[in-house]
Amino acid sequence: MILFTFTLKINIWIIFGTSFWLGFFMTGYLPVGFELASEITYPICEGTSCGLLNTSAQIFGLIFTYSQGRIIYAYGSLAGNIFILVFLFIGTIITGLVKSDFRRQNSLKTKKSKTTDKLNVIAPVNNVYHVDGSESEKF
């Protein structure tokens, strides 16, 4: 975004190139954001958290697009892009401060360990049991 901000007065093809790379690298944050949202809001369904994330992204997109348009109209394109750049930086800091509490993964790990413990108690892997309750040789 910094590169894009300072290439606005150069050739249009350089702007196209920086726009391509900006979109290429920023698109990769979408699945990461959805996964993080589903992890930190675990008891809630993934669809609900991702839907709320999409809705908030659309609302903030409208607000920032309108605000940037007003800033560009009043102060120029450099000021508008610096406005977006500042808020991207603030968002990066907030993302870095999010507590990585992976509730869904921890829940799945405890479920797997409990299931494995139950299976070992019912029928240990190295013993074979017959219908009458007698035990065969170990493998």
Side-chain angles (χ1 to χ4, degrees):
M1 185 70 189
I2 295 171
L3 181 66
F4 178 78
T5 300
F6 294 109
T7 58
L8 289 174
K9 302 229 186 257
I10 305 177
N11 188 352
I12 190 73
W13 291 104
I14 294 174
I15 294 172
F16 289 157
T18 55
S19 298
F20 169 78
W21 289 111
L22 179 68
F24 180 78
F25 287 109
M26 286 186 75
T27 303
Y29 286 117
L30 286 173
V32 173
F34 288 141
E35 187 66 27
L36 182 63
S38 66
E39 285 289 338
I40 63 177
T41 60
Y42 167 64
I44 299 172
C45 178
E46 291 179 21
T48 303
S49 62
C50 290
L52 289 172
L53 191 64
N54 269 328
T55 303
S56 66
Q58 294 298 319
I59 291 170
F60 278 109
L62 287 170
I63 292 169
F64 281 121
T65 301
Y66 178 75
S67 301
Q68 186 180 19
R70 301 297 294 174
I71 291 172
I72 288 173
Y73 181 73
Y75 301 106
S77 60
L78 183 64
N81 281 318
I82 289 174
F83 166 76
I84 294 294
L85 189 64
V86 166
F87 279 99
L88 282 173
F89 183 70
I90 291 169
T92 302
I93 291 171
I94 291 172
T95 303
L97 295 175
V98 170
K99 181 182 173 188
S100 51
D101 179 23
F102 300 129
R103 297 177 188 171
R104 184 178 53 127
Q105 288 182 4
N106 292 336
S107 172
L108 290 176
K109 285 179 185 176
T110 57
K111 283 182 184 178
K112 283 183 182 178
S113 67
K114 287 180 182 177
T115 304
T116 306
D117 291 343
K118 285 180 184 177
L119 288 176
N120 285 335
V121 168
I122 295 171
V125 178
N126 59 354
N127 294 340
V128 177
Y129 292 95
H130 297 284
V131 176
D132 62 357
S134 62
E135 187 176 337
S136 293
E137 292 182 331
K138 295 183 178 180
F139 292 19

